[in-house]
Amino acid sequence: MKLSTIHHSLFVSVVLMLFALQPVSAQIRGNNIVVTVEPDHQDWNYSVGQTAKFTVEVRRSGTLVDNVSIDYAAGPEMYQTEKKSLTLKDGTLKLSGTMKSAGFYRVDVTAHVDGKDYKGACNAAFSPEKLQPSTVMPDDFKAFWEQAVQQARYTPLEPTKRLLPERCTKDVNVYEVSFNNMAWDSRTYGILCVPVKEGKYPALLRVPGAGCRPYQGDVWTASQGVVTLEIGIHGIPVTLEQIVYTNMNKNALSHYWDWGMDDRDQSYYKMVVLGCIRAVDYIEQYTPWNGQQLGVTGSSQGGFLSLVTAGLDKRVTCYAPVHAALCDHTNSLNGKACGWPHYFYGLSVQGLVLSDVWSPAVKSLNTKPSTLNKIITSRYYDGVNFARLITPQQKGWFSFGYNDDVVPPTSAWATYNTVTGPKEISIYQQTAHFWYQEQWDEWENWLLKQLGVKAE
């Protein structure tokens, strides 16, 4: 044997030995038991009056489970009327449903196997392109918000900016910034990411989902040649330890979305909305924005805030709301699915005339005056009404899932149908209130194209 061959054999042996000594841990991915509810139309879409046929299967290791106990609920989204418990002899079940008007018919299945519950769902669309929102735009909606923005701007931004060297890269500088919101010492905090190379850039504002958390900033998009600003909404720094935000979610900020919702000037969301507009002010005045392309994007509550910012601020050239919350609050007053946080779910009056909230139909509810005020106030904080202000000069990309039980697709489709400007829709039917990787990639690529840093 040649010496080189011996050396090679020894090298391979040593490498294999070292690899064997390394700690190896298997990742946990998904469940071995899976419940599927499959419609007979690949796109999950039907016309009003058609019948959707569903196939339910419960599988273990890819094979059907015999004699499995299940519960299921079926019917109009958020108002399912058919509920049963039974045993599936061969692990399968056939169901069907239809709708007499535009909307969604949802089937939820829970299988009970070895003391654990496993869930599956399918929410079939019936003529979703015909869905229209229930909410009415107040006559003074635009004037109210124009005045609120004007008043907020009486207070100078007085920004702060602190470099975060541990987050910087060779291509991007990262800062924690803050600026005045709607009044003195009413601050908005965020993470600003700026390309290192000197120049002017398009900009992207990222607005947050519900809750309270720290933020890392959008370093990757900045590395592609975009100024990015990711903001919080609660007036506190966004670089504290996680325990601070966890405690605030459970205590000081618990259910903040309900605060002041019986008075349009006292709503917690007034500060939040104005913070988004002041964030665009900050981008314009204190970053190397090119003054041309400016996008806004977010998911859930952030989807709502994307509609808010695009609707109120024409500096925004593109917006991308993903499963947007806080849309069509009053739809449940007519017994139909409404957007998160479902303010009026369970308070239902068929044929309610929402243009007159003090109508006899509402009065017959024997509702507290504060609830009636909440109905009125909700219209000033409904994503649908902000979507109505979006212009043909602003391009939109909407994405959501049919199985979302937080932001129902009924409200998502109705909001999309409201927009009259250029828009695209990308449905990922099986998603609930989460993203698929392909959805995330499509979202990023669309934004980069609109911001002019990726070829069409």
Side-chain angles (χ1 to χ4, degrees), residues 206-209 218 296-303 306 320-324 397-401 404 426-447:
R206 297 192 59 163
V207 284
D218 189 352
V296 59
T297 190
S299 64
S300 195
Q301 176 187 262
S306 299
V322 180
H323 42 252
W397 184 84
F398 292 71
S399 189
F400 49 88
D404 197 333
S426 183
I427 306 297
Y428 286 77
Q429 288 87 343
Q430 197 171 359
T431 58
H433 204 58
F434 57 81
W435 300 66
Y436 278 136
Q437 184 63 54
E438 295 87 346
Q439 184 182 20
W440 182 277
D441 294 341
E442 184 183 351
W443 164 75
E444 281 188 334
N445 289 333
W446 186 88
L447 283 168

Side-chain angles (χ1 to χ4, degrees), residues 29-94:
R29 293 187 179 181
N31 293 307
N32 190 38
I33 296 168
V34 176
V35 180
T36 59
V37 186
E38 182 181 336
D40 61 337
H41 284 192
Q42 286 187 336
D43 61 2
W44 298 34
N45 290 335
Y46 300 80
S47 298
V48 168
Q50 286 186 313
T51 298
K53 298 179 181 179
F54 305 93
T55 300
V56 177
E57 294 184 340
V58 182
R59 292 178 177 269
R60 187 204 310 261
S61 299
T63 60
L64 294 170
V65 179
D66 294 336
N67 300 314
V68 59
S69 173
I70 70 159
D71 302 319
Y72 81 82
E77 183 180 34
M78 293 182 71
Y79 292 91
Q80 294 160 302
T81 55
E82 182 180 350
K83 298 180 181 181
K84 292 184 179 180
S85 299
L86 44 87
T87 299
L88 307 184
K89 183 178 180 181
D90 60 356
T92 66
L93 176 67
K94 300 289 186 180

